[in-house]
Amino acid sequence: AGSAMAVQDLAGRRVVISAGGTREALDPVRYLGNSSSGRMGAALAADADARGADVTLVAAHLEVPVPSCVREVRVSSTEDLEAAMRREAAEADIVIMAAAAADFAPESVSDLKIKKHEGRSRVGDRMSLDLVQTPDVLAGLVAGRHRDQVIVGFAAETAPDRDELLALARAKLERKGCDLLAVNDVSSGRVFGKVDTDVTVIRQQGSGRRVRGSKMMAAHAILAEACSLLAP
Ligand code: CTP
Ligand code: CA
């Protein structure tokens, strides 16, 4: 797969990437979701394919097409994502969690469509939802990984300045225990749904690498970093 010109540095390697945004059902017609388009994950899948990898994309409600030659596994909720990633990552050399996973899900899903109080409802009436935290898929993958597997996380952060952005990213990398963390500044509508991105890739040791440009360029840089960590 991939063009004849591309470096085949992932030939014979298995890469599993999650992309998109999960949805947590409230009732048969409603859900809690987020505005991740799946562009970053799709770009990663295309780049991994061009490098010669066997690529699986675990896709949660993508708004973009899945690159050809990439195997797609569709998921909806964070719980689905966890099950699919646990299964698909078992044999993977590189695992990348680019999906925006819902952190909270409704405590229960209503079998029937939730109704207003018919007849006596008014503008301004309140309703509340009890939400419970979902499993941390990335942390679970790190805990269960085989040796030599490279695991990459993403972080979308809002911070007043770059120093604070990087401090948040360092803390998250530490907490998650993954090898690389790609951090996006999502303050005031940057990045989400956009073609261009500003991502900094940090590793456990050493300084970060910043890429500003297309999501394809960012994907290429992230995979180069992941490649450099693979055991020969
Ligand atoms: N992630 C995950 N499972 C979750 C939530 C997040 O695997 N339930 C993954 C994301 O795919 C991403 C990384 O964890 O690769 C960081 O996601 P992020 O939302 O930035 O971190 P959280 O740990 O959820 O912390 P918070 O949202 O509170 O900043
Ligand atoms: Ca989160």
Side-chain angles (χ1 to χ4, degrees):
S3 83
M5 299 302 289
V7 183
Q8 299 284 292
D9 53 1
L10 286 177
R13 301 287 196 170
R14 204 177 282 247
V15 178
V16 177
I17 300 160
S18 70
T22 63
R23 292 179 183 176
E24 304 299 335
L26 277 168
D27 70 14
V29 294
R30 303 188 181 95
Y31 58 83
L32 298 176
N34 63 70
S35 50
S36 178
S37 65
R39 267 188 193 83
M40 191 65 234
L44 284 160
D47 193 76
D49 176 61
R51 290 170 185 263
D54 171 345
V55 186
T56 298
L57 190 65
V58 175
H61 309 284
L62 298 201
E63 289 170 12
V64 295
V66 173
S68 54
C69 300
V70 167
R71 191 168 73 93
E72 182 187 12
V73 174
R74 289 194 185 196
V75 296
S76 187
S77 66
T78 296
E79 201 182 299
D80 295 346
L81 175 68
E82 184 190 42
M85 288 304 290
R86 192 181 292 175
R87 188 180 66 238
E88 299 299 331
E91 308 271 289
D93 298 294
I94 298 175
V95 179
I96 307 180
M97 281 295 298
D103 292 330
F104 295 93
E107 190 167 35
S108 62
V109 182
S110 173
D111 288 338
L112 299 175
K113 192 179 161 206
I114 299 165
K115 303 293 284 178
K116 291 184 290 187
H117 297 288
E118 225 86 53
R120 51 197 173 76
S121 70
R122 281 193 164 67
V123 172
D125 277 359
R126 288 171 185 277
M127 94 86 102
S128 57
L129 293 169
D130 282 317
L131 304 177
V132 292
Q133 198 171 310
T134 57
D136 188 322
V137 181
L138 177 58
L141 291 169
V142 168
R145 76 162 131 195
H146 62 74
R147 52 190 289 274
D148 299 339
Q149 187 175 63
V150 174
I151 303 184
V152 184
F154 267 79
E157 304 287 356
T158 54
D161 58 48
R162 189 160 168 80
D163 283 349
E164 277 197 46
L165 184 79
L166 293 179
L168 284 171
R170 280 266 156 234
K172 190 162 281 180
L173 179 67
E174 211 56 53
R175 200 162 65 237
K176 300 279 186 178
C178 50
D179 303 294
L180 296 172
L181 191 77
V183 58
N184 280 310
D185 183 357
V186 292
S187 306
S188 59
R190 270 176 268 179
V191 181
F192 275 120
K194 303 276 163 60
V195 176
D196 274 11
T197 191
D198 178 349
V199 48
T200 301
V201 188
I202 60 169
R203 45 171 81 204
Q204 290 286 352
Q205 269 94 37
S207 58
R209 172 167 169 195
R210 187 176 190 180
V211 192
R212 275 172 289 185
S214 67
K215 287 188 179 175
M216 282 307 299
M217 282 176 62
H220 198 68
I222 291 163
L223 278 164
E225 293 283 315
C227 250
S228 74
L229 297 178
L230 282 173

